[in-house]
Amino acid sequence: MSLINGLPAHVLLVHFVVVLVPLSALALVVCAVWPQAARRLGVALPLLALVALLSVPLTTQAGEWLEQHVGSTALVRRHAELGDGLVPWAGGVFLLAAAVWWTVGRKPAPETGPRSAPVGPVIRVAAAVLSVAVAAGAVVDVYRIGDSGAKAAWQNGFSKTATSGEDR
């Protein structure tokens, strides 16, 4: 994917990543800490995280195309390096979202067989702590990547003083 309506696809797709990865991370933490929220969200929790995860490599591929079509600077290279590291964080959010949904968020099955053992408090606390750690890592990584991308795109690309006002 290279262009969408004449614009580089990366600058459009990045908005999905910037919104969906932190939103998935927040939903994961809420559901891991509050099982009733996981039951309410149900399968939407892992589906949201899956869409966020899938948006990352699409955006990265579009960014690699864009990188070949802009001047190579240290800022662009740094942004590309940081961008390559988001897939593991988004993957972690997805895996934990699926695990939280599987253990506490699913609707109970009809009584057809032996009852499954409820998730113990130790597992719930461990899942919550791990969810907070992975969610924080994902959000911080999105911030770092976005900050480096903004610097790469806007460094010396605008005036710090207002224009004369002719365009108003």
Side-chain angles (χ1 to χ4, degrees):
M1 191 176 293
S2 56
L3 297 173
I4 297 175
N5 201 25
L7 293 173
H10 180 72
V11 299
L12 299 172
L13 294 173
V14 74
H15 292 87
F16 288 107
V17 173
V18 168
V19 170
L20 293 178
V21 172
L23 183 62
S24 298
L26 176 63
L28 168 63
V29 170
V30 168
C31 290
V33 171
W34 188 23
Q36 185 177 355
R39 285 188 284 278
R40 263 200 162 169
L41 276 178
V43 75
L45 174 64
L47 288 178
L48 174 65
L50 178 62
V51 172
L53 172 60
L54 294 175
S55 71
V56 173
L58 285 175
T59 304
T60 302
Q61 287 176 347
E64 288 170 357
W65 178 90
L66 182 59
E67 183 181 15
Q68 295 171 359
H69 291 84
V70 298
S72 179
T73 66
L75 292 173
V76 169
R77 288 188 301 276
R78 176 72 176 143
H79 175 64
E81 288 171 11
L82 288 172
D84 289 337
L86 186 56
V87 169
W89 288 111
V93 169
F94 168 69
L95 290 174
L96 284 166
V100 166
W101 169 73
W102 185 260
T103 57
V104 297
R106 292 184 308 146
K107 303 267 189 268
E111 297 292 330
T112 57
R115 294 183 96 159
S116 61
V119 177
V122 172
I123 293 174
R124 282 193 39 222
V125 169
V129 169
L130 191 56
S131 295
V132 168
V134 170
V139 170
V140 167
D141 208 33
V142 167
Y143 170 81
R144 291 177 63 223
I145 295 164
D147 182 60
S148 71
K151 286 177 181 172
W154 291 100
Q155 191 75 16
N156 300 322
F158 66 96
S159 173
K160 293 184 180 179
T161 59
T163 60
S164 64
E166 295 174 10
D167 295 334
R168 292 183 203 170

